[in-house]
Amino acid sequence: MSTAILTGQPVPGSSIEADLRSLGFDVRIASDAAAAGALLAEVPAGQRVAVVDARFVGHEHALRLGLTDPRFPLAAIPGAVTAQPAARRALALAMDRATAGGNTAASEPATTGGTEPAAPEAVTGDAPEAVSGEAPAPVGTLLTGALADRVAAALSADGSDPHRPDLGSLVATVPDDPQTRNEARQAVAAVDDEAVRLKSAVKARDGFFTTYCISPYSRYIARWCARRGLTPNQVTTASLVTALIAAACAATGTRPGFVAAGVLLLASFVLDCTDGQLARYSLQYSTLGAWLDATFDRAKEYAYYAGLALGAARGGDDVWALALGAMVLQTCRHVVDFSFNEANHDATANTSPTAALSGRLDSVGWTVWVRRMIVLPIGERWAMIAVLTALTTPRITFYALLIGCSFAATYTTAGRVLRSLTRKARRTDRAARALADLADSGPLAERLAGALKPVARRLPGFTAPAVALLGGTAVTATAALTGFGGPWPVLAALLYVLTSALAVARPLKGPLDWLVPPFLRAAEYGTVLALAAGAGVNGALPAAYGLVAAVAYHHYDTVYRIRGDAGAPPPWLVRATGGHEGRTLAVVVLAALLTASQFAVALTVLAVAVALLVLLESIRFWVAAHRGGAPAVHDEGEPA
């Protein structure tokens, strides 16, 4: 339960008390500022608390956005301010300041909104500034009509600036006379609160297929779920189950099974859009939910690839290498996205002519959608996979997927390289640390990196990505081009360990150092694919698929922890899984020492061991973070 302290005398005909109760608040009335402070002290420390002006006039959804969003410890709209348990002390201090000094007259009302102001005298935007140069009033004499906005102003003055949501056309105002109150009520009646809420449930930036083929009706499914008490996590789970059933249908290898798989994959995507829209519609954000949503997206797609490969095998066509290639390519694409964003999200002087050109292109309407489509985001990608599954064969589906993803990867990576070379960004220590964590260096690379630091400091700035590319290309090409079981891949793997250590021997702050993690991912995954394909025995490629899937999960989990400001996975996990260079060397040595059949068994054992380690630690961490009250997160970034 949350508590709302309604300050001042109730206004006849006002719905504010009922609106607060409908939002889950226990409403308490404070006749003056002293009573408000006393009530605030009585609210249990583990509860959210809000201070709301009794004269408030506005939409219920404006109150919902301002007072119930779990992502922000402090939030405010005109006439209302709220604090979650972690920010209660800051609110109490601001309340003391607001009640101990200031004007004895009520401040002018404030309002926000994209339509005409509710009252001609209203002030839009931030909370009113405190009046300076006046004698403090005795505690309890401050007119409580101004209290909520004074508390919000005091929070900002203390450096705890509350989040102020963009209300758009919604009304939130505090009129101080009957005429302006009547005008405010008319402004509220002129805007459809529910229509605004439904529209805001859709992600602001999404792909063409999602925007025009899914969201127009999935938002109504989200509202239906909200009205029946369903949570985003339940919808996310339903999307996963639907995708797994789709994969099972594809695994039958029959035309009816392929058709059913395509239809169910699209249904899974509709639910995948619905869970995020439900979270935005009802403001049910959580750390656990964000992790489930991101993790299940990868699990659904890669399980479906496996289903297609199994279905093809039933028809006598072995496409496991294509399935694994598609997973490797898609994962490396994501690592490019993650690394580039982490390297630049807090960089200073972060501009470039390429970025300026991109901004100008976005000002031309049709180019926005073309550029979003050619990067093959999840909506377009899943639609293509679903249609091709139903109408063609798994082999054709994988060929189209590989061609499309290769073009998209080339386009996005080239653009980011150009931006990196033309901008004058200065990267922070945090960015360098994030890139080092994404590199996933194990004990071998870390020890060698320490010894190579003096050498690395004297090398040019492009050394890190250059040596990472060199070593990765050497080990992957050697594994692919020499016979299975030969000694050359082992020598190439040893070179890869050395180049990987040199790549991370100094902080990754160079203009192209964000390429190091994707180069390392491509080397590790590509080597496993090449060796499994070279083994030429049944079971080797499926085992390699399982191993890469387990390792990729570990790398995605690292990204989600960094995005949630939780840091990298614990060092013991990185050491236990060997790091990218340790796993690559281990797989190459196993291929050199074992027969092809034994190698397939070894890959299976390794896949199971890595999967158990990373899954158990990941589940433990995210469940503990959720139970511990970690800040809710929600990703509104680029489509996956």
Side-chain angles (χ1 to χ4, degrees):
M1 175 66 73
S2 302
T3 298
I5 300 171
L6 202 58
T7 63
Q9 297 300 320
V11 177
S14 173
S15 64
I16 182 61
E17 193 170 343
D19 289 343
L20 289 170
R21 287 199 169 96
S22 72
L23 295 177
F25 285 93
D26 176 27
V27 180
R28 302 183 186 182
I29 309 296
S31 58
D32 58 27
L39 286 175
L40 176 62
E42 293 174 4
V43 176
Q47 286 190 12
R48 173 193 283 272
V49 65
V51 178
V52 184
D53 197 311
R55 301 177 302 165
F56 177 89
V57 175
H59 289 96
E60 181 180 326
H61 192 49
L63 285 170
R64 181 181 290 106
L65 291 172
L67 302 183
T68 68
D69 195 324
R71 294 173 295 175
F72 307 103
L74 289 165
I77 57 174
V81 62
T82 185
Q84 294 198 62
R88 284 283 302 276
R89 176 172 172 77
L91 181 68
L93 293 174
M95 175 77 82
D96 290 342
R97 288 188 58 184
T99 56
N103 199 338
T104 57
S107 64
E108 289 192 27
T111 184
T112 63
T115 57
E116 290 298 315
E121 306 89 343
V123 179
T124 60
D126 294 336
E129 295 183 3
V131 179
S132 61
E134 300 183 18
V139 174
T141 63
L142 178 69
L143 294 182
T144 53
L147 183 59
D149 288 333
R150 287 187 179 274
V151 170
L155 284 168
S156 297
D158 290 339
S160 302
D161 200 32
H163 168 71
R164 299 178 186 274
D166 180 9
L167 300 182
S169 59
L170 297 175
V171 176
T173 187
V174 183
D176 57 359
D177 60 67
Q179 179 181 348
T180 54
R181 174 171 293 277
N182 183 56
E183 292 171 351
R185 287 174 172 170
Q186 291 175 3
V188 170
V191 176
D192 187 342
D193 175 276
E194 180 61 19
V196 173
R197 188 181 178 189
L198 268 175
K199 184 178 179 180
S200 63
V202 177
K203 185 185 289 187
R205 180 181 175 87
D206 226 328
F208 180 88
F209 179 77
T210 304
T211 300
Y212 291 104
C213 299
I214 304 296
S215 293
Y217 58 88
S218 62
R219 70 183 74 181
Y220 295 101
I221 301 175
R223 181 172 67 180
W224 183 90
C225 293
R227 290 177 175 177
R228 281 151 185 81
L230 297 176
T231 67
N233 290 353
Q234 290 171 331
V235 178
T236 300
T237 303
S239 176
L240 173 66
V241 171
T242 304
L244 294 178
I245 296 173
C249 290
T252 63
T254 64
R255 181 53 51 192
F258 288 146
V259 172
V263 172
L264 287 171
L265 186 64
L266 287 177
S268 174
F269 182 65
V270 171
L271 292 174
D272 183 54
C273 295
T274 301
D275 63 2
Q277 291 165 358
L278 175 57
R280 286 182 286 272
Y281 182 85
S282 57
L283 299 185
Q284 296 183 73
Y285 303 115
S286 71
T287 299
L288 182 63
W291 170 67
L292 288 176
D293 183 47
T295 301
F296 284 3
D297 278 351
R298 306 286 75 79
K300 288 180 287 188
E301 188 165 4
Y302 299 158
Y304 192 82
Y305 292 175
L308 282 176
L310 288 170
R314 286 180 178 272
D317 190 11
D318 186 355
V319 297
W320 275 107
L322 296 177
L324 181 50
M327 181 167 65
V328 169
L329 179 56
Q330 189 58 33
T331 304
C332 290
R333 277 190 63 199
H334 284 144
V335 177
V336 167
D337 296 340
F338 300 147
S339 295
F340 180 81
N341 291 335
E342 287 302 323
N344 293 287
H345 92 281
D346 59 354
T348 58
N350 199 9
T351 59
S352 76
T354 307
L357 174 62
S358 177
R360 288 195 295 271
L361 287 175
D362 280 345
S363 66
V364 183
W366 63 271
T367 66
V368 175
W369 295 115
V370 170
R371 295 171 70 209
R372 290 188 192 180
M373 291 173 67
I374 63 177
V375 300
L376 210 62
I378 189 170
E380 278 75 0
R381 192 167 68 249
W382 283 26
M384 180 185 74
I385 294 170
V387 171
L388 291 177
T389 298
L391 300 180
T392 64
T393 65
R395 180 172 289 274
I396 292 176
T397 301
F398 281 124
Y399 281 153
L401 183 62
L402 287 166
I403 292 171
C405 286
S406 296
F407 179 81
T410 302
Y411 171 79
T412 55
T413 305
R416 287 166 179 173
V417 168
L418 286 174
R419 290 190 184 198
S420 300
L421 291 175
T422 56
R423 66 173 29 136
K424 302 297 183 182
R426 293 185 296 275
R427 295 195 168 94
T428 63
D429 291 338
R430 180 207 172 278
R433 180 69 258 171
L435 291 179
D437 291 336
L438 290 173
D440 190 33
S441 299
L444 290 176
E446 285 188 348
R447 288 192 176 92
L448 280 173
L452 292 172
K453 280 183 180 180
V455 176
R457 291 193 188 100
R458 295 193 295 268
L459 295 175
F462 60 84
T463 298
V467 297
L469 178 61
L470 173 65
T473 302
V475 68
T476 306
T478 304
L481 299 178
T482 60
F484 178 82
W488 294 110
V490 177
L491 297 176
L494 292 172
L495 173 65
Y496 173 68
V497 172
L498 179 63
T499 56
S500 300
L502 185 58
V504 297
R506 65 183 181 189
L508 297 174
K509 294 185 177 182
L512 295 178
D513 283 1
W514 56 270
L515 285 169
V516 171
F519 284 160
L520 300 180
R521 293 296 78 75
E524 180 182 1
Y525 302 160
T527 300
V528 174
L529 169 59
L531 290 173
V537 296
N538 290 333
L541 280 167
Y545 190 94
L547 175 58
V548 172
V551 175
Y553 176 88
H554 167 57
H555 291 142
Y556 279 114
D557 188 57
T558 301
V559 169
Y560 304 143
R561 293 190 194 215
I562 293 173
R563 280 185 168 183
D565 291 326
W572 71 261
L573 181 64
V574 177
R575 289 193 296 268
T577 55
H580 69 92
E581 81 289 351
R583 289 187 299 269
T584 303
L585 182 59
V587 170
V588 169
V589 170
L590 288 173
L593 297 179
L594 303 177
T595 66
S597 298
Q598 292 171 335
F599 178 67
V601 174
L603 284 182
T604 303
V605 172
L606 188 58
V608 171
V610 172
L612 287 175
L613 277 172
V614 299
L615 279 173
L616 290 176
E617 161 55 23
S618 176
I619 293 170
R620 181 210 63 78
F621 170 80
W622 289 105
V623 171
H626 178 70
R627 290 176 176 173
V633 296
H634 191 68
D635 182 19
E636 294 288 351
E638 298 287 338

